[in-house]
Amino acid sequence: MIIINKKTNQLGYYEDGLLAKVFPVATGRQRNFTPEGNFKITNKQVNPPYYKKNIPGGSPYNPLGTRWLGLSAPGGAYGIHGNSSPSSIGTYASNGCIRLHNQDVLWLFDQVSVGIPVIIVWNDIDLNEGFVDTKPIKLYLNNEPIIVGEESKLFSKQHQPYIPLKLLCQVFGYSLNWDNANRTINVTQPGFIAQLTSNGQAALINGQSLSLKDIPIVVEGTTFVTLSTINQIFHTDAQWKPDTRELFLSLTPPDTMPTDASTASETSDHMSGMEPQVEKNLQKTNSKM
């Protein structure tokens, strides 16, 4: 989808729910010139002619530039397009359309299809704050590299890594399931259960309330967690090296122990056998990827 923030004159392109690109734009000379709301791309045109002044498509004097993406906004022919005045980008300059640099609209034109959502807003949010870095992240358990398949997306946002909860459960040997009745994500092993909610801060560890420092997020149906949640739920020592994009995990004793004596005994047995089980699951994970 595309989000356009008129106040900051930015266009954000989102792919698979993640912010992939942010471009500077020009919008209406007055706020009400460019409509706000939820729209869609209705048509695409290469080298659109500018009928108002009878300027042919492809002309260097064409104010629509080299590409046109028509919008479903009512009240006129609104679109996202290139321009013949690069100095206007980043300002309030148009009659209502959204202008991009010609090289930027060329890239965007090739990515989008007719029907994708376009949201136009006016607020103080800098879209760059949501920028996601999808360059590869190297993952280690007890200093041993973990082979991560293409289906397990890892990314960072504002220099913080986000790891699929499913992948972590595979690596550590936990079970993962969705409790539809309680609307929770359950991470379990014998004698241990953590209950999380997507996009929620509250969690339960063996029935004890816990407030997560970072809220789990859902992207394209996959739940992602950050370093703090990894440490809180899995009782690991997680270390992130942003310069090399390496994430090191090492098992540590749990700091949340159940109060029930029988459960404590089960947890003790569970922890004493955790290392071999992790190695087995790690081998299974590597063999499948």
Side-chain angles (χ1 to χ4, degrees):
M1 69 176 178
I2 291 170
I3 293 180
I4 297 164
N5 187 350
K6 298 191 305 180
K7 190 169 186 180
T8 60
N9 274 328
Q10 294 173 310
L11 181 151
Y13 172 70
Y14 292 76
E15 187 173 15
D16 294 331
L18 303 177
L19 182 60
K21 292 277 189 178
V22 176
F23 298 113
V25 298
T27 53
R29 291 191 302 276
Q30 296 182 26
R31 178 174 173 178
N32 65 337
F33 282 13
T34 301
E36 299 170 22
N38 297 338
F39 312 109
K40 291 183 178 181
I41 298 292
T42 56
N43 60 80
K44 299 173 62 175
Q45 192 170 358
V46 175
N47 292 327
Y50 187 54
Y51 296 111
K52 186 176 182 179
K53 294 188 176 181
N54 199 28
I55 301 175
S59 167
Y61 305 105
N62 190 319
L64 303 182
T66 58
R67 298 291 187 273
W68 168 273
L69 297 168
L71 295 175
S72 63
Y78 295 101
I80 301 168
H81 60 77
N83 76 96
S84 58
S85 178
S87 62
S88 70
I89 303 302
T91 71
Y92 306 109
S94 79
N95 290 325
C97 287
I98 296 93
R99 301 180 188 174
L100 284 86
H101 287 295
N102 284 322
Q103 67 269 24
D104 293 343
V105 79
L106 282 171
W107 184 93
L108 185 66
F109 187 91
D110 290 339
Q111 310 307 312
V112 305
S113 57
V114 171
I116 77 161
V118 177
I119 302 171
I120 303 178
V121 299
W122 176 282
N123 59 45
D124 293 318
I125 297 174
D126 183 347
L127 291 181
N128 284 303
E129 293 179 0
F131 181 73
V132 167
D133 192 341
T134 58
K135 291 194 292 289
I137 293 176
K138 298 177 182 178
L139 192 61
Y140 299 86
L141 176 64
N142 296 334
N143 293 319
E144 293 293 328
I146 297 172
I147 300 174
V148 178
E150 292 184 1
E151 69 277 10
S152 296
K153 297 178 182 178
L154 284 73
F155 61 88
S156 63
K157 179 180 176 182
Q158 293 181 299
H159 307 295
Q160 180 169 229
Y162 283 77
I163 312 300
L165 185 58
K166 181 179 179 180
L167 174 62
L168 291 167
C169 287
Q170 288 177 332
V171 169
F172 293 133
Y174 287 74
S175 296
L176 180 68
N177 63 79
W178 170 252
D179 185 339
N180 192 53
N182 296 313
R183 312 294 294 174
T184 59
I185 303 166
N186 294 341
V187 176
T188 62
Q189 269 196 345
F192 176 89
I193 179 170
Q195 296 173 295
L196 295 77
T197 56
S198 298
N199 301 315
Q201 199 163 17
L204 290 174
I205 306 293
N206 285 350
Q208 298 181 10
S209 298
L210 177 69
S211 179
L212 299 177
K213 294 179 181 178
D214 294 314
I215 295 174
I217 65 172
V218 178
V219 179
E220 295 295 302
T222 299
T223 301
F224 289 81
V225 295
T226 62
L227 284 186
S228 64
T229 302
I230 295 173
N231 287 330
Q232 286 179 284
I233 299 299
F234 294 102
H235 308 294
T236 67
D237 179 20
Q239 301 293 331
W240 166 242
K241 295 185 177 181
D243 293 339
T244 57
R245 297 186 66 77
E246 294 178 299
L247 177 59
F248 292 86
L249 307 172
S250 59
L251 291 172
T252 59
D255 52 20
T256 303
M257 298 298 292
T259 55
D260 181 80
S262 61
T263 308
S265 175
E266 291 176 5
T267 304
S268 176
D269 294 340
H270 147 63
M271 290 304 298
S272 66
M274 181 179 286
E275 292 279 0
Q277 184 62 37
V278 167
E279 293 300 323
K280 289 180 182 179
N281 281 279
L282 182 56
Q283 291 171 9
K284 290 180 182 179
T285 301
N286 289 342
S287 67
K288 294 178 182 177
M289 298 182 176

